[in-house]
């Protein structure tokens, strides 16, 4: 049997999450060696390869994609490089998992979506939070009608990595390279979770944007992730949002609120979801990962919340839980592993990855565009539905 080598393109912070997940699960699917880590920074590529057991390093992503021994590619590059590399990987017949956001705009995402539709390989967008057992459970309850007809959803994704004004300027703070700031970097997850729960968004009724740190110092050295480095005296303008919020209406008539912040002090990586239906409410936050809260309406009885634990039988877990016991917390790394396991399983079975597809990445981009536009024009913006 031919080897199906795995390559990670981009050795930064998120590349490590992919590498860890492949190391954990690739062996379950036969001969799928951890082959190459690719990055223009040779030291970073070497460190990541050594840490997670990848056999080789490279500096040119085009050479990696042209390598006939590489069958699986994770694209873990800065946002502005996602479309070019993902399209090239699809054209080369590679199975490809692209980090979010799929592109800086829906116009840029559309060719990737079109290529994925015709490619004879498995592809997906990294929407790892769909695999949180509690959120998968809540979605299953919505589909089963347990919460009644959808009425309202609130999804907040809050981080504080940019709250420190002494964090150096980088591509993340440039609209041309990162697109909308917190909205695209974090709000992509919020928008996808809203769609995951309630379906397509028909209209953005309104949106508001804030830049709270308008200038940042340029770094003297290389930056990685959200790390601090020595700063120069020179500053550069931040021209994308630190906070963005949007009020939306779904195709099913329900309403929603999505918000993203990279300056929410005290929020390391917080996703909070609250769903209201005509018969019940469900709430979950990543700050309390062991359970979600649920209240179901019963005539003549008080609607007291109950705690529903993450159980081994929950969707997305199966035999993957390292500690298969009720209320054993499921963390970020485990959930990321479930995504990689599902991706590799789709490859092994020759089936599409439907739970977080390239199509989902494109649909999210359409909503993100509408939110960004609504914040500028200060009026409702329709979201176009395309086949």
């Amino acid at each position: 049997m031919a080897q199906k080598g795995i390559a990670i393109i981009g050795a930064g912070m998120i590349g490590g999450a992919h590498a860890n997940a492949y190391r954990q699960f690739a062996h379950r699917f036969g001969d799928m060696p951890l082959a190459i880590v690719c990055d223009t920074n040779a030291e970073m590529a070497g460190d990541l390869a050594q840490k997670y057991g990848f056999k080789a390093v490279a500096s040119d992503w085009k050479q990696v994609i042209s390598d006939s021994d590489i069958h699986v590619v994770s694209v873990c590059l800065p946002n502005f490089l996602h479309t070019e590399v993902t399209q090239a990987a699809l054209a080369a017949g590679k199975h490809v998992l692209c980090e979010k956001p799929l592109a800086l705009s829906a116009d840029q995402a559309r060719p990737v979506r079109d290529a994925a539709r015709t490619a004879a390989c498995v592809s997906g967008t990294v929407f790892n939070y769909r695999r949180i057992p509690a959120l998968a459970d809540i979605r299953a309850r919505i589909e089963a009608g347990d919460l009644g007809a959808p009425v309202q959803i609130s999804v907040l994704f809050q981080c504080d990595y940019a709250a420190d004004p002494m964090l150096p300027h980088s591509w993340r703070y440039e609209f041309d390279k990162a697109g909308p700031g917190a909205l695209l970097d974090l709000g992509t997850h919020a928008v996808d979770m809203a769609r995951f729960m309630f379906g397509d968004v028909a209209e953005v009724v309104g949106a508001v944007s804030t830049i709270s740190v308008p200038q940042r110092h340029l770094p003297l050295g290389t930056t990685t992730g959200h790390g601090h480095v020595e700063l120069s005296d020179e500053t550069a303008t931040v021209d994308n949002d630190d906070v963005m919020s949007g009020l939306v209406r779904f195709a099913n008539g329900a309403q929603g609120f999505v918000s993203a912040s990279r300056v929410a002090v005290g929020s390391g990586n917080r996703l909070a979801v609250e769903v209201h239906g005509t018969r019940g409410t469900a709430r979950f936050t990543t700050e309390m990962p062991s359970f979600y809260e649920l209240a179901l309406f019963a005539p003549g009885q008080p609607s007291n919340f109950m705690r529903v634990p993450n159980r081994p039988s929950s969707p997305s877990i199966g035999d993957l839980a390292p500690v298969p016991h009720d209320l054993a917390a499921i963390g970020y790394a485990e959930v990321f592993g479930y995504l990689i396991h599902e991706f590799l399983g789709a490859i092994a079975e020759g089936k599409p990855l439907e739970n977080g597809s390239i199509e989902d990445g494109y649909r999210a981009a359409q909503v993100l565009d509408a939110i960004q536009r609504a914040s500028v024009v200060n009026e409702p913006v329709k979201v176009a539905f395309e086949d």
Side-chain angles (χ1 to χ4, degrees):
M1 174 184 284
Q3 290 189 341
K4 297 181 179 179
I6 296 169
I8 292 177
I9 300 179
M13 176 179 64
I14 201 63
H18 285 250
N20 178 61
Y22 283 123
R23 181 180 65 174
Q24 185 176 7
F25 290 116
H27 69 277
R28 294 192 176 202
F29 300 95
D31 196 4
M32 300 186 76
L34 308 182
I36 297 176
V37 174
C38 177
D39 200 285
T40 55
N41 186 316
E43 182 178 358
M44 288 175 56
D47 288 347
L48 194 67
Q50 182 178 23
K51 182 176 182 179
Y52 292 104
F54 282 74
K55 296 179 179 179
V57 298
S59 60
D60 186 347
W61 63 264
K62 293 181 180 178
Q63 290 182 359
V64 173
I65 287 176
S66 65
D67 188 336
S68 60
D69 290 333
I70 298 300
H71 287 237
V72 179
V73 174
S74 273
V75 179
C76 307
L77 295 165
N79 297 350
F80 62 95
L81 295 173
H82 288 181
T83 52
E84 180 184 6
V85 179
T86 300
Q87 281 183 268
L90 290 169
K94 311 298 184 184
H95 305 294
V96 57
L97 190 61
C98 180
E99 262 301 328
K100 60 77 196 166
L102 186 60
L104 301 187
S105 68
D107 284 344
Q108 292 183 18
R110 191 175 299 111
V112 186
R113 186 277 309 268
D114 293 344
R117 283 183 171 182
T118 58
C121 50
V122 177
S123 60
T125 309
V126 176
F127 288 138
N128 48 303
Y129 291 96
R130 290 175 173 229
R131 278 85 184 171
I132 292 177
L135 294 174
D137 276 348
I138 292 171
R139 195 225 188 172
R141 288 184 180 275
I142 293 171
E143 291 185 327
D146 294 350
L147 303 184
V151 175
Q152 184 184 33
I153 186 170
S154 172
V155 186
L156 283 69
F157 202 114
Q158 298 170 311
C159 294
D160 64 358
Y161 67 79
D164 184 351
M166 300 311 293
L167 193 75
H169 197 279
S170 72
W171 64 268
R172 294 181 185 276
Y173 306 103
E174 299 179 26
F175 192 93
D176 288 345
K177 293 182 178 180
L183 175 66
L184 204 62
D185 194 30
L186 308 174
T188 303
H189 280 308
V191 166
D192 179 68
M193 186 52 57
R195 290 190 64 253
F196 182 59
M197 295 292 181
F198 274 17
D200 279 321
V201 174
E203 181 181 32
V204 176
V205 179
V208 61
S209 171
T210 300
I211 299 176
S212 61
V213 184
Q215 296 282 326
R216 291 187 182 273
H217 287 272
L218 295 175
L220 289 175
T222 302
T223 61
T224 302
H226 308 304
H228 287 76
V229 297
E230 188 177 356
L231 303 176
S232 72
D233 294 331
E234 186 179 358
T235 63
T237 299
V238 175
D239 63 358
N240 58 13
D241 59 276
D242 287 324
V243 185
M244 181 79 82
S245 301
L247 180 65
V248 306
R249 189 171 300 282
F250 294 87
N252 62 15
Q255 63 172 265
F257 176 76
V258 294
S259 183
S261 174
R262 61 189 182 192
V263 292
V265 176
S267 298
N269 202 63
R270 176 177 182 262
L271 173 65
V273 180
E274 185 163 324
V275 176
H276 299 277
T278 54
R279 294 176 53 198
T281 293
R283 297 172 180 163
F284 172 78
T285 172
T286 52
E287 292 176 329
M288 295 182 179
S290 298
F291 62 87
Y292 66 93
E293 293 180 317
L294 176 69
L296 299 178
F297 173 77
Q301 297 183 17
S303 298
N304 293 324
F305 274 96
M306 65 185 86
R307 287 184 172 181
V308 181
N310 285 335
R311 302 181 187 277
S313 60
S314 294
S316 301
I317 295 187
D319 67 345
L320 304 181
V323 183
H325 189 279
D326 290 357
L327 291 176
I330 302 294
Y332 182 92
E334 288 95 340
V335 171
F336 213 99
Y338 302 162
L339 164 65
I340 294 297
H341 184 275
E342 191 173 334
F343 174 54
L344 295 177
I347 293 171
E349 296 174 14
K351 297 179 179 179
L353 179 66
E354 296 180 343
N355 188 20
S357 62
I358 294 290
E359 182 75 32
D360 287 317
Y362 171 65
R363 296 283 183 169
Q366 289 182 293
V367 179
L368 293 163
D369 275 7
I371 293 174
Q372 170 70 18
R373 178 64 179 163
S375 74
V376 173
V377 301
N378 198 30
E379 62 184 32
V381 176
K382 298 287 186 182
V383 179
F385 294 101
E386 295 183 10
D387 293 329

